[in-house]
Amino acid sequence: PRFRRPVPALTALWAFGVTLAFTAFYAVYPVLAAARGVQLLVTCGLAHAIALRADREQLHRLAHAYVVLVTLSVALGVVHPYPRTELQADRFTWLYVHPVMAATYLGLSVVLLVGLLLRHRVEAAFPRWPTWAYLLLLVVNVGALLATRTRGGMAGCLVGCFVVAMSSVRRKSRLDIAVMSVVVLGFAALLARDDILSFLARGESSESLRTLSARTILWEEAVRLFWDRPLFGYGLTASRGIFFETVGLGGAHNALINVMVDAAAFGVIVFVSLLWIVVRSARSVRWRRGVGDDVPIILGVIAFLVGNSFTA
């Protein structure tokens, strides 16, 4: 290893990873916390290695490989559906992956495909596929995403695609895209209002919808838990076990709430700092020669991951 100048995004990443992994020493569920802590540190190491060693062509190949993997997973889910629980009977997934996680994989794949399609008009030395191949993959992934019936994944995907589109054009054209997006969504709401309402309701009762599928109750419980241990929290993965015992949901369906319960104030500070630094770093990439062409994809992926982590 050679000494390199610290990169803000990587420094924030390790601060977040080490902080949450350290909480495993006093976690309410120590075995699960230890496993998740090791996984988190391994993920930080992988991200660090990619950031320092991978070139642009390798990252493009990685994005294409990811899209292919997700599409093959969709095919597996169609050809050989695995047994599902009663609550997941009408929601698409593959193997024993939870539909929410399946929607996360699919939403990220859709955002990447939209970015690669829009980037098609930019000259680059990287291998590319025909436009029809990207369109075919996009149709398959969008269809599977809708079939998961996951509202958070859909919302995050729409935000990510919108950011990709807005970042791919000049400033003069952004207002046109915003207006067109509003018009398209308006027509969709008029023509398929019943289907959209059915998708959003997903067969739940009015009481369940008023509490956002018990999420508001869960968030109230999270605030109470936070003030009981405002500095260090209950340890990594505690939010999953505690919320499952009290509310019946395995987690807050909100990354910030999970961190707030697991690592309290210190965790929230490093988590918010990580998001802010990553977004700021991505915006600064635009001014580097050549790399700026990839910024719409980068910003779209960040927008999807942030939006999805606060809703899924």
Side-chain angles (χ1 to χ4, degrees):
R2 293 176 298 174
F3 176 78
R4 295 174 181 268
R5 187 180 64 178
V7 178
L10 292 179
T11 302
L13 171 68
W14 281 109
F16 173 73
V18 171
T19 298
L20 262 68
F22 178 79
T23 64
F25 287 104
Y26 58 85
V28 178
Y29 306 97
V31 177
L32 180 60
R36 292 291 183 262
V38 171
Q39 291 173 343
L40 180 58
L41 293 178
V42 169
T43 303
C44 290
L46 175 62
H48 189 111
I50 291 174
L52 292 184
R53 298 180 180 275
D55 57 32
R56 291 178 63 199
E57 181 177 356
Q58 290 172 329
L59 291 175
H60 274 269
R61 292 183 183 279
L62 177 62
H64 285 75
Y66 175 83
V67 169
V68 170
L69 177 62
V70 173
T71 305
L72 291 176
S73 300
V74 172
L76 177 63
V78 173
V79 174
H80 185 65
Y82 275 56
R84 303 172 194 169
T85 64
E86 183 179 352
L87 294 176
Q88 301 175 10
D90 59 343
R91 301 176 66 183
F92 176 77
T93 187
W94 54 84
L95 300 179
Y96 291 107
V97 177
H98 193 283
V100 172
M101 290 307 302
T104 299
Y105 298 138
L106 288 162
L108 179 56
S109 181
V110 169
V111 173
L112 286 172
L113 284 168
V114 170
L116 292 171
L117 268 172
L118 293 178
R119 197 187 183 284
H120 220 64
R121 53 192 173 83
V122 180
E123 292 296 332
F126 312 134
R128 289 181 177 177
W129 298 342
T131 302
W132 63 264
Y134 291 111
L135 291 173
L136 178 61
L137 291 171
L138 184 61
V139 170
V140 172
N141 282 264
V142 169
L145 177 59
L146 291 172
T148 64
R149 305 188 69 182
T150 303
R151 293 162 295 200
M154 281 295 302
C157 183
L158 289 174
V159 172
C161 292
F162 181 76
V163 170
V164 170
M166 293 289 283
S167 304
S168 299
V169 298
R170 298 177 180 178
R171 291 188 177 183
K172 295 180 179 180
S173 303
R174 291 177 182 175
L175 179 59
D176 297 336
I177 292 180
V179 172
M180 285 298 298
S181 299
V182 172
V183 172
V184 170
L185 291 175
F187 272 111
L190 290 174
L191 298 176
R193 181 182 60 181
D194 294 338
D195 293 333
I196 293 175
L197 292 176
S198 176
F199 175 85
L200 294 176
R202 217 168 57 193
E204 298 178 9
S205 64
S206 58
E207 176 64 25
S208 177
L209 293 176
R210 278 197 297 271
T211 60
L212 301 179
S213 301
R215 283 169 174 75
T216 56
I217 300 174
L218 185 148
W219 295 339
E220 292 175 1
E221 177 71 7
V223 172
R224 184 189 68 78
L225 292 170
F226 173 80
W227 287 115
D228 286 344
R229 296 188 183 182
L231 292 180
F232 302 104
Y234 293 80
L236 188 60
T237 72
S239 56
R240 290 189 173 276
I242 293 174
F243 292 147
F244 187 77
E245 292 176 358
T246 57
V247 186
L249 291 175
H253 291 270
N254 185 301
L256 182 62
I257 298 296
N258 282 338
V259 172
M260 188 175 74
V261 174
D262 292 349
F266 286 102
V268 170
I269 291 172
V270 294
F271 179 64
V272 173
S273 299
L274 172 61
L275 296 181
W276 181 75
I277 291 173
V278 167
V279 173
R280 183 182 177 187
S281 299
R283 287 179 59 86
S284 67
V285 171
R286 179 178 293 276
W287 306 111
R288 300 180 186 177
R289 181 175 299 178
V291 183
D293 298 335
D294 295 326
V295 168
I297 300 177
I298 297 172
L299 292 178
V301 168
I302 293 173
F304 167 75
L305 292 176
V306 172
N308 188 67
S309 67
F310 283 95
T311 56

